[in-house]
Amino acid sequence: MTIILVMLFIGAFGGFISGLVGIGGAIIIYPILLFIPPLLGLPEYSAYVASGLTAVQVFFSTLSGSIKAATRPDFTPSLVLQMGVGMIIGSTVGAICANLLNENFVNIVYIIIALLALCLMFIEPKHNRYHKSYNQLLLMFLGGVIGLISGIVGAGGAFIIIPVLLVIFKLPMKQVVANSIVIAFISSIGAFGVKLFQGFIPFEEALGLIIGSIIFAQVGMKVGQKTPSKIQSLIIIVFIVIAIIQILMNL
C-alpha cells in the first residue's frame, strides 16, 4: 500500500506537469524514481526499472493530455503525424538498445539530451504566424533522432520536442504545448511496449503511476491554458536543471 501511495503521488505530480507544459513528465519523473523511494525506506530501483516506470507514466499522462489537446484550436494533425512517425520508430529502437547499455551510460545520455534542451530554451525565436504546412522530411528526421535518444531512458521526448518546435520551426508556445504532448504520446507507445515486453514494469508501482497520471494530466491541461507562455518556459527550464543536477549526483 505504501508503494502504491508513493507512486500515486509521483504519477499525479508528473501528470500535472505533463498537462501544464505539454511534456510527458520523464524529465523529472525518472530522477524522482531513482531518489525518492530509497529516502522513504522503499526498495531502490535500477536505471532499467526506473526507465520502465517512467515509460508507464509518460504513456498514460500523455494519453490523458492528448485527448484534451486534440480538441484545442492550436492542434495541428499534420505536424503531429509527420513528427510522430519518426518518434515512434526512433523510440522503439532506443528502448531496445537501452537494455544493452550499462546504467551509467543511460544516465549520461539523459544528461546530454537534457543539456541540449536547456540550451535551446534560452534561444529567443521570432515566431511565424500560425500555419499547418511543414517540411515533412525534416520533421520525420528530427522525430527519429529525438525518439531514438529519448527511448533509451523511457521518455516521450517532449522536453526536447518543445525547444525544437520553438526554435527551429518558430511556433508559438501555446501551439507547441497543444501538439507536443500528442507527439510525445505517439513516441511513448514504442518505449512503453518494449519496456513491458522486457519485464521492466512492476505492476504495483505502475498502477499508482497510471491513476495519478491520468487524473492530474487533465488538471494540468486546464491550468496550462491560463498560464502565460513565459511562465511555462520557466517551469520547463527549472525542471530540466533539477533533473540534470540529480542525475549528476547519481553518477
Side-chain angles (χ1 to χ4, degrees):
M1 181 60 69
T2 301
I3 292 177
I4 294 177
L5 289 176
V6 171
M7 291 300 159
L8 180 65
F9 175 79
I10 295 175
F13 179 70
F16 179 78
I17 296 301
S18 173
L20 179 64
V21 294
I23 64 176
I27 192 69
I28 191 66
I29 293 302
Y30 180 70
I32 285 179
L33 287 170
L34 288 176
F35 293 101
I36 296 301
L39 292 178
L40 299 176
L42 298 174
E44 181 178 352
Y45 298 119
S46 68
Y48 304 120
V49 174
S51 65
L53 288 171
T54 298
V56 171
Q57 190 278 324
V58 170
F59 177 82
F60 283 96
S61 64
T62 54
L63 170 61
S64 178
S66 294
I67 295 173
K68 181 70 174 179
T71 64
R72 295 174 59 177
D74 289 327
F75 178 66
T76 314
S78 60
L79 171 65
V80 170
L81 290 175
Q82 290 162 10
M83 197 169 196
V85 169
M87 287 289 295
I88 193 170
I89 295 174
S91 66
T92 301
V93 175
I96 294 173
C97 291
N99 194 37
L100 306 175
L101 306 172
N102 63 57
E103 293 189 23
N104 281 339
F105 184 81
V106 172
N107 287 330
I108 290 172
V109 170
Y110 185 90
I111 291 173
I112 291 174
I113 58 177
L115 284 172
L116 175 60
L118 183 62
C119 292
L120 290 177
M121 288 302 297
F122 284 100
I123 298 176
E124 282 287 341
K126 293 182 179 180
H127 296 138
N128 290 332
R129 292 190 306 171
Y130 179 79
H131 58 83
K132 296 186 178 182
S133 178
Y134 305 95
N135 185 320
Q136 182 176 357
L137 291 179
L138 180 59
L139 280 170
M140 292 182 66
F141 173 75
L142 291 177
V145 173
I146 296 171
L148 176 65
I149 300 174
S150 61
I152 293 177
V153 295
F159 59 96
I160 298 291
I161 296 170
I162 289 177
V164 166
L165 294 179
L166 285 172
V167 177
I168 297 179
F169 294 95
K170 306 184 188 327
L171 302 180
M173 176 61 84
K174 295 300 181 183
Q175 185 182 358
V176 169
V177 171
N179 290 280
S180 64
I181 193 169
V182 185
I183 296 172
F185 166 67
I186 294 174
S187 168
S188 71
I189 295 173
F192 173 68
V194 171
K195 295 295 181 181
L196 184 63
F197 178 78
Q198 292 174 335
F200 290 130
I201 303 179
F203 178 76
E204 283 189 353
E205 289 88 332
L207 180 62
L209 286 175
I210 291 170
I211 295 173
S213 296
I214 290 177
I215 296 174
F216 281 87
Q218 295 291 329
V219 177
M221 183 72 70
K222 291 182 179 179
V223 175
Q225 291 177 348
K226 301 178 181 179
T227 304
S229 297
K230 289 186 177 180
I231 299 299
Q232 289 178 312
S233 296
L234 179 60
I235 291 172
I236 295 172
I237 290 172
V238 169
F239 280 128
I240 293 175
V241 171
I242 292 174
I244 292 173
I245 293 174
Q246 289 178 320
I247 296 300
L248 282 173
M249 292 174 61
N250 195 47
L251 289 177

